[in-house]
Amino acid sequence: MGKRILLHICCGPCAIAPLLRLKDAGCTVVGLFFNPNIQPAMEYVRRREGAAKVGGILDVEVRFDAYDPLPHMRRSLADPTGRCAPCWEERLDRAAAAAAALGCDAFTSSLLYSKYQDHALLASLGEARAAAHGIPFHYQDFRVHWDEGVALSRQWEIYRQPYCGCVLSELDRYAKKLRQPPGAG
Protein backbone atom coordinates (compact mmCIF):
# COMPACT_ATOMS: atom_id res chain seq x y z
CA MET A 1 0.00 0.00 0.00
CA GLY A 2 1.16 3.55 -0.75
CA LYS A 3 1.67 6.32 1.70
CA ARG A 4 -1.06 8.04 3.68
CA ILE A 5 -1.27 11.68 2.65
CA LEU A 6 -3.38 14.57 3.91
CA LEU A 7 -4.76 16.84 1.19
CA HIS A 8 -5.75 20.32 2.28
CA ILE A 9 -8.89 21.01 0.23
CA CYS A 10 -9.67 24.60 -0.67
CA CYS A 11 -12.86 23.68 -2.58
CA GLY A 12 -14.51 20.75 -4.32
CA PRO A 13 -13.54 21.56 -7.93
CA CYS A 14 -9.87 22.10 -7.04
CA ALA A 15 -9.76 18.84 -5.08
CA ILE A 16 -10.85 16.54 -7.91
CA ALA A 17 -7.62 16.26 -9.92
CA PRO A 18 -5.30 16.09 -6.88
CA LEU A 19 -7.46 13.36 -5.30
CA LEU A 20 -7.52 11.36 -8.52
CA ARG A 21 -3.76 11.67 -9.07
CA LEU A 22 -2.88 10.81 -5.47
CA LYS A 23 -5.21 7.81 -5.49
CA ASP A 24 -3.79 6.72 -8.88
CA ALA A 25 -0.34 6.80 -7.25
CA GLY A 26 -1.59 4.35 -4.61
CA CYS A 27 -1.90 6.87 -1.78
CA THR A 28 -4.53 6.69 0.92
CA VAL A 29 -5.86 10.23 1.09
CA VAL A 30 -7.45 12.08 3.99
CA GLY A 31 -9.00 15.41 3.06
CA LEU A 32 -8.98 18.47 5.29
CA PHE A 33 -11.31 21.37 4.55
CA PHE A 34 -9.87 24.31 6.49
CA ASN A 35 -10.58 27.67 4.91
CA PRO A 36 -11.23 30.57 7.29
CA ASN A 37 -10.52 32.88 4.35
CA ILE A 38 -13.80 32.12 2.58
CA GLN A 39 -16.40 34.88 2.85
CA PRO A 40 -19.26 35.42 3.19
CA ALA A 41 -20.47 32.55 5.34
CA MET A 42 -22.93 31.25 2.72
CA GLU A 43 -20.05 31.02 0.23
CA TYR A 44 -18.18 28.97 2.81
CA VAL A 45 -21.16 26.64 3.16
CA ARG A 46 -21.42 26.16 -0.64
CA ARG A 47 -17.73 25.29 -0.90
CA ARG A 48 -17.85 23.02 2.15
CA GLU A 49 -20.77 21.13 0.60
CA GLY A 50 -18.86 20.86 -2.68
CA ALA A 51 -15.83 19.40 -0.90
CA ALA A 52 -18.06 16.90 0.92
CA LYS A 53 -19.71 15.87 -2.36
CA VAL A 54 -16.33 15.30 -4.06
CA GLY A 55 -15.15 13.28 -1.06
CA GLY A 56 -18.26 11.12 -1.32
CA ILE A 57 -17.93 10.56 -5.06
CA LEU A 58 -14.24 9.63 -4.77
CA ASP A 59 -14.64 7.70 -1.51
CA VAL A 60 -12.24 9.93 0.44
CA GLU A 61 -12.67 10.84 4.10
CA VAL A 62 -12.88 14.62 4.41
CA ARG A 63 -12.49 16.30 7.79
CA PHE A 64 -13.95 19.73 8.37
CA ASP A 65 -12.31 22.22 10.72
CA ALA A 66 -14.20 24.99 12.51
CA TYR A 67 -14.91 28.19 10.62
CA ASP A 68 -13.74 31.47 12.14
CA PRO A 69 -13.13 34.10 9.45
CA LEU A 70 -12.51 37.06 11.79
CA PRO A 71 -8.71 36.66 12.28
CA HIS A 72 -8.28 36.25 8.53
CA MET A 73 -10.45 39.28 7.82
CA ARG A 74 -8.51 41.46 10.26
CA ARG A 75 -5.16 40.36 8.83
CA SER A 76 -6.31 40.84 5.22
CA LEU A 77 -7.74 44.28 5.82
CA ALA A 78 -4.52 45.34 7.57
CA ASP A 79 -2.48 44.39 4.47
CA PRO A 80 -4.77 43.97 1.44
CA THR A 81 -1.98 43.63 -1.12
CA GLY A 82 0.00 41.16 0.99
CA ARG A 83 -2.93 39.03 2.10
CA CYS A 84 -2.36 35.85 0.07
CA ALA A 85 0.90 34.53 1.53
CA PRO A 86 -0.30 34.66 5.17
CA CYS A 87 -3.58 33.05 4.10
CA TRP A 88 -1.80 30.18 2.34
CA GLU A 89 0.64 29.80 5.22
CA GLU A 90 -2.16 29.55 7.78
CA ARG A 91 -3.93 26.83 5.82
CA LEU A 92 -0.72 24.91 5.07
CA ASP A 93 0.27 25.14 8.73
CA ARG A 94 -3.06 23.66 9.79
CA ALA A 95 -2.69 20.91 7.17
CA ALA A 96 0.83 20.03 8.38
CA ALA A 97 -0.31 19.95 12.00
CA ALA A 98 -3.32 17.78 11.16
CA ALA A 99 -1.22 15.42 9.03
CA ALA A 100 1.28 14.97 11.85
CA ALA A 101 -1.49 14.43 14.42
CA LEU A 102 -3.19 11.84 12.17
CA GLY A 103 0.04 9.93 11.56
CA CYS A 104 0.11 10.71 7.84
CA ASP A 105 3.30 10.29 5.84
CA ALA A 106 3.01 13.69 4.13
CA PHE A 107 0.66 16.57 3.35
CA THR A 108 -0.18 18.62 0.29
CA SER A 109 -2.84 21.07 -0.90
CA SER A 110 -5.37 21.47 -3.67
CA LEU A 111 -4.06 25.04 -3.94
CA LEU A 112 -1.43 23.41 -6.18
CA TYR A 113 -4.16 22.73 -8.75
CA SER A 114 -4.95 26.39 -9.32
CA LYS A 115 -3.51 28.21 -12.32
CA TYR A 116 -3.99 31.43 -10.37
CA GLN A 117 -1.74 30.74 -7.37
CA ASP A 118 2.01 31.37 -6.96
CA HIS A 119 3.39 27.82 -7.01
CA ALA A 120 6.94 28.77 -6.04
CA LEU A 121 5.65 30.57 -2.95
CA LEU A 122 3.23 27.75 -2.11
CA ALA A 123 6.08 25.22 -2.34
CA SER A 124 8.29 27.37 -0.13
CA LEU A 125 5.53 27.85 2.46
CA GLY A 126 4.71 24.13 2.36
CA GLU A 127 8.35 23.20 2.97
CA ALA A 128 8.59 25.67 5.87
CA ARG A 129 5.44 24.27 7.49
CA ALA A 130 6.74 20.75 6.89
CA ALA A 131 9.96 21.57 8.76
CA ALA A 132 8.00 23.20 11.59
CA HIS A 133 5.81 20.12 12.09
CA GLY A 134 8.28 17.39 11.18
CA ILE A 135 6.26 15.97 8.29
CA PRO A 136 7.12 16.02 4.57
CA PHE A 137 5.37 18.37 2.17
CA HIS A 138 4.38 16.66 -1.07
CA TYR A 139 4.73 19.14 -3.91
CA GLN A 140 3.04 18.13 -7.13
CA ASP A 141 2.01 20.44 -9.95
CA PHE A 142 -1.62 19.48 -10.42
CA ARG A 143 -2.25 22.36 -12.87
CA VAL A 144 -1.61 20.04 -15.83
CA HIS A 145 -4.93 18.37 -14.95
CA TRP A 146 -6.89 21.66 -14.96
CA ASP A 147 -9.23 20.74 -17.83
CA GLU A 148 -10.03 17.34 -16.31
CA GLY A 149 -10.96 18.90 -12.96
CA VAL A 150 -13.14 21.55 -14.59
CA ALA A 151 -14.94 18.98 -16.75
CA LEU A 152 -15.59 16.59 -13.86
CA SER A 153 -16.76 19.37 -11.53
CA ARG A 154 -19.32 20.37 -14.15
CA GLN A 155 -20.35 16.78 -14.84
CA TRP A 156 -20.76 16.09 -11.11
CA GLU A 157 -22.51 19.46 -10.57
CA ILE A 158 -20.04 20.64 -7.94
CA TYR A 159 -20.43 24.30 -7.00
CA ARG A 160 -17.82 26.32 -8.93
CA GLN A 161 -16.90 29.58 -7.24
CA PRO A 162 -16.01 32.73 -9.20
CA TYR A 163 -13.27 34.03 -6.86
CA CYS A 164 -10.48 32.77 -4.61
CA GLY A 165 -12.19 33.11 -1.25
CA CYS A 166 -11.95 36.35 0.68
CA VAL A 167 -14.07 39.41 0.00
CA LEU A 168 -10.98 41.25 -1.24
CA SER A 169 -10.43 38.58 -3.90
CA GLU A 170 -14.08 38.93 -4.86
CA LEU A 171 -13.58 42.69 -5.24
CA ASP A 172 -10.50 42.01 -7.40
CA ARG A 173 -12.52 39.58 -9.54
CA TYR A 174 -15.28 42.11 -10.22
CA ALA A 175 -13.23 45.36 -10.19
CA LYS A 176 -13.71 46.09 -13.90
CA LYS A 177 -17.45 45.44 -13.74
CA LEU A 178 -17.80 47.60 -10.62
CA ARG A 179 -16.18 50.54 -12.42
CA GLN A 180 -18.70 50.35 -15.28
CA PRO A 181 -21.94 52.27 -15.10
CA PRO A 182 -25.07 50.16 -14.56
CA GLY A 183 -26.29 48.50 -17.75
CA ALA A 184 -22.92 48.85 -19.53
CA GLY A 185 -22.24 45.23 -19.75
Side-chain angles (χ1 to χ4, degrees):
M1 179 181 283
K3 63 183 175 180
R4 187 164 188 242
I5 190 164
L6 182 133
L7 174 70
H8 163 260
I9 296 175
C10 60
C11 65
C14 289
I16 294 170
L19 286 171
L20 289 172
R21 296 298 77 77
L22 292 168
K23 288 182 75 168
D24 286 349
C27 296
T28 300
V29 185
V30 176
L32 174 68
F33 186 82
F34 172 68
N35 299 290
N37 59 305
I38 299 173
Q39 302 142 27
M42 208 47 230
E43 180 71 14
Y44 175 86
V45 169
R46 284 185 201 99
R47 293 186 195 197
R48 184 185 66 189
E49 295 305 313
K53 187 173 180 180
V54 168
I57 291 168
L58 295 178
D59 193 28
V60 171
E61 173 192 1
V62 179
R63 294 167 176 255
F64 298 90
D65 259 0
Y67 176 63
D68 181 5
L70 294 179
H72 173 83
M73 292 167 90
R74 288 184 195 105
R75 185 178 60 238
S76 295
L77 291 173
D79 184 10
T81 59
R83 70 186 184 271
C84 296
C87 176
W88 296 334
E89 183 173 34
E90 176 183 31
R91 293 186 283 159
L92 290 170
D93 187 71
R94 179 65 188 109
L102 292 170
C104 293
D105 299 304
F107 75 100
T108 191
S109 177
S110 65
L111 291 166
L112 298 171
Y113 167 79
S114 176
K115 301 188 304 185
Y116 304 105
Q117 311 301 348
D118 180 339
H119 275 242
L121 181 54
L122 281 167
S124 174
L125 292 170
E127 290 297 338
R129 298 299 82 215
H133 292 278
I135 187 160
F137 176 66
H138 175 83
Y139 176 83
Q140 186 170 343
D141 189 346
F142 297 111
R143 293 175 292 187
V144 297
H145 307 289
W146 178 263
D147 292 338
E148 175 189 31
V150 170
L152 287 172
S153 69
R154 288 182 175 143
Q155 179 183 332
W156 297 343
E157 299 179 346
I158 306 298
Y159 171 71
R160 296 185 49 76
Q161 66 278 358
Y163 61 97
C164 185
C166 73
V167 292
L168 296 174
S169 70
E170 183 182 27
L171 287 172
D172 288 347
R173 166 74 167 82
Y174 295 108
K176 183 178 178 182
K177 189 175 198 105
L178 289 168
R179 288 191 300 270
Q180 295 174 345

